[in-house]
């Protein structure tokens, strides 16, 4: 099988090195196309207003001045000689991609772009408890279980409009007992924060960060599985339609469009 690797942490990220070892346990036909610079939080962004430049590192390894989505599109349409990949692997991300994170994640976006090209695609993330620079993720956990999980997923298959989102818990391999197939969770509090600061010239600027509040996730969710030390495998798709609300609105908004507008007072 020909496998394409990408990520959002950049071409020199240790997680990409782990992903390459995972892929080479499955095949020797591995291609790598990853961002030149970190693209965490890029989601499905495309580079539309600037040229996309590519640096060829060797015959099957490329660094792209663009997003994970750019990378997969570039690799499939321009850079790979011969047949298209039979699998796209995105990651291994330094940190989790769980719950609502998946809508922001460049790692997940790389897999989604593979899916849009008709290629089975998997996003892989190594969760972390702390994110200080000196903290080393448990890459050995992803490497220990990644090949087997990928192989099993390929054996059973999944729908063409679905990607697999795999998160490994922040523990050593000997402490992982189970894999759980989960649904996407949702945290019960907002973790993103915006802090105002002032530089040495007296000008204000803002820095985005994340708080470390634990949520109380429901049983069966990706969050709960990771909190309890299990590997989480979540099938995802990009149909964001809330069908219950669709059915509720059909009876009150369907038909001829409303024409009258009642002004709303600002103090209400």
């Amino acid at each position: 099988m020909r496998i394409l690797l990408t990520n959002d942490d950049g071409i020199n990220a240790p997680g990409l090195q782990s992903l390459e070892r995972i892929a080479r346990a499955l095949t020797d036909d591995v291609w790598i196309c990853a961002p030149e610079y970190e693209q965490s939080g890029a989601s499905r962004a495309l580079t539309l207003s600037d040229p996309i430049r590519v640096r060829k590192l060797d015959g099957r390894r490329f660094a792209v001045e663009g997003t994970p989505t750019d990378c997969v599109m570039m690799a499939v349409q321009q850079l790979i000689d011969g047949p298209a990949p039979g699998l796209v692997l995105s990651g291994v991300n330094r940190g989790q991609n769980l719950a609502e994170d998946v809508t922001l994640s460049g790692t997940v976006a790389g897999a989604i772009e593979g899916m849009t090209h008709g290629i089975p695609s998997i996003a892989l993330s190594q969760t972390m408890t702390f994110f200080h620079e000196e903290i080393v993720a448990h890459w050995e956990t992803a490497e220990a279980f990644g090949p087997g999980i990928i192989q099993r997923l390929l054996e059973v298959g999944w729908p063409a409009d679905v990607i697999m989102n795999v998160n490994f818990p922040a523990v050593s391999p000997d402490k992982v007992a189970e894999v759980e197939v989960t649904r996407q969770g949702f945290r019960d509090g907002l973790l993103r924060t915006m802090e105002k600061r002032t530089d040495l010239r007296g000008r204000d600027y803002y820095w985005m960060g994340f708080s470390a509040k634990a949520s109380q996730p429901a049983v069966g969710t990706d969050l709960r599985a990771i909190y309890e030390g299990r590997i989480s495998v979540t099938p995802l798709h990009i149909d964001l339609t809330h069908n219950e609300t669709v059915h509720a609105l059909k009876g009150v908004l369907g038909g001829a469009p409303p024409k009258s507008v009642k002004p709303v007072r600002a103090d209400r």
Side-chain angles (χ1 to χ4, degrees), residues 43-108:
S43 187
R44 297 197 67 208
L46 293 167
T47 300
L48 298 175
S49 300
D50 295 296
I52 300 176
R53 303 190 186 278
V54 179
R55 185 164 61 97
K56 187 173 184 179
L57 304 176
D58 62 39
R60 298 186 179 188
R61 187 183 307 263
F62 303 87
V64 173
E65 292 186 358
T67 68
T69 300
D70 295 333
C71 290
V72 174
M73 183 185 302
M74 181 72 70
V76 174
Q77 297 187 10
Q78 296 290 332
L79 301 178
I80 293 179
D81 294 328
L87 177 67
V88 170
L89 300 179
S90 184
V92 176
N93 191 64
R94 184 180 184 270
Q96 52 267 27
N97 279 302
L98 304 165
E100 64 271 22
D101 298 346
V102 302
T103 63
L104 302 172
S105 168
T107 303
V108 172

Side-chain angles (χ1 to χ4, degrees), residues 8-145:
D8 71 356
D9 288 331
I11 191 69
N12 295 314
L16 187 60
Q17 298 170 21
S18 285
L19 187 63
E20 184 172 2
R21 288 189 284 270
I22 290 169
R24 292 196 182 281
L26 302 167
T27 182
D28 59 0
D29 192 356
V30 176
W31 292 71
I32 299 172
C33 189
E36 185 78 73
Y37 312 107
E38 183 177 349
Q39 297 285 330
S40 295
S43 187
R44 297 197 67 208
L46 293 167
T47 300
L48 298 175
S49 300
D50 295 296
I52 300 176
R53 303 190 186 278
V54 179
R55 185 164 61 97
K56 187 173 184 179
L57 304 176
D58 62 39
R60 298 186 179 188
R61 187 183 307 263
F62 303 87
V64 173
E65 292 186 358
T67 68
T69 300
D70 295 333
C71 290
V72 174
M73 183 185 302
M74 181 72 70
V76 174
Q77 297 187 10
Q78 296 290 332
L79 301 178
I80 293 179
D81 294 328
L87 177 67
V88 170
L89 300 179
S90 184
V92 176
N93 191 64
R94 184 180 184 270
Q96 52 267 27
N97 279 302
L98 304 165
E100 64 271 22
D101 298 346
V102 302
T103 63
L104 302 172
S105 168
T107 303
V108 172
I112 290 175
E113 186 62 19
M115 179 198 73
T116 63
H117 282 80
I119 304 169
S121 300
I122 303 173
L124 301 102
S125 301
Q126 179 58 56
T127 66
M128 297 179 66
T129 305
F130 300 100
F131 288 86
H132 301 296
E133 286 297 324
E134 69 274 13
I135 302 297
V136 177
H138 284 283
W139 303 118
E140 71 277 11
T141 302
E143 292 179 34
F145 300 108

Side-chain angles (χ1 to χ4, degrees), residues 147-191:
I149 289 174
I150 293 168
Q151 186 172 52
R152 183 61 179 144
L153 286 171
L154 291 172
E155 289 171 354
V156 298
W158 61 90
D161 61 346
V162 170
I163 69 162
M164 292 294 165
N165 185 38
V166 181
N167 282 267
F168 301 94
V171 296
S172 58
D174 60 293
K175 294 182 179 178
V176 178
E178 295 181 355
V179 178
E180 182 179 355
V181 178
T182 59
R183 68 183 187 275
Q184 180 186 348
F186 195 84
R187 294 183 180 85
D188 49 20
L190 181 65
L191 299 186

